Amino acid sequence: MNVKVSDDNSFLFDFRRRTLGGLPFCFTAELSENRPGTLVDEIFSFVDELDPERVAGEWVEASGQFSPTRFCQAVADMEEIRTQAFLLAIELAEAVEDNDYFIFFPWYQWN
């Protein structure tokens, strides 16, 4: 995970993973106004907007190697990323609720 500070002093978190199929994947979420809940909201928004079949179709099309097997693997990869991001958001929400966010943010799972 990389953390950057934007021009308005908010923090941008780049969460990096490898899919089940071994492809690198990254998404960015913003913590703004020094409120950890905004980071949680950003991750939930990513989860809500992610359409595994659409993204899988884009990946397969970009690779130029379309096959039903490759498409199904890409869909499974994106569903797993979506699930892992959802679980991350839940853990962060619990940490924020418990006011433990400086110590127990589960960022290590996304490195």
Side-chain angles (χ1 to χ4, degrees):
M1 174 188 63
N2 292 330
V3 179
K4 301 173 192 167
V5 179
S6 69
D7 293 338
D8 64 355
N9 290 326
S10 59
F11 295 91
L12 302 172
F13 292 82
D14 289 332
F15 295 96
R16 299 172 186 271
R17 292 293 301 237
R18 286 211 172 266
T19 66
L20 293 173
L23 296 173
F25 182 81
C26 163
F27 76 92
T28 301
E30 180 179 9
L31 185 150
S32 58
E33 302 172 13
N34 288 325
R35 292 182 29 228
T38 60
L39 179 61
V40 173
D41 292 343
E42 285 268 326
I43 297 170
F44 276 128
S45 178
F46 166 77
V47 169
D48 288 341
E49 293 175 14
L50 182 66
D51 178 358
E53 289 186 12
R54 181 186 54 79
V55 175
E58 291 172 1
W59 276 2
V60 170
E61 184 179 317
S63 75
Q65 299 176 2
F66 183 81
S67 74
T69 303
R70 184 175 294 269
F71 177 74
C72 289
Q73 180 62 54
V75 170
D77 285 352
M78 290 316 304
E79 287 174 349
E80 176 65 14
I81 290 292
R82 188 174 185 216
T83 299
Q84 292 299 318
F86 177 77
L87 294 174
L88 174 67
I90 294 294
E91 285 190 61
L92 289 173
E94 289 172 353
V96 168
E97 188 175 287
D98 293 340
N99 293 319
D100 291 336
Y101 44 87
F102 290 114
I103 300 170
F104 298 112
F105 262 4
W107 297 330
Y108 62 88
Q109 296 176 349
W110 281 83
N111 287 335

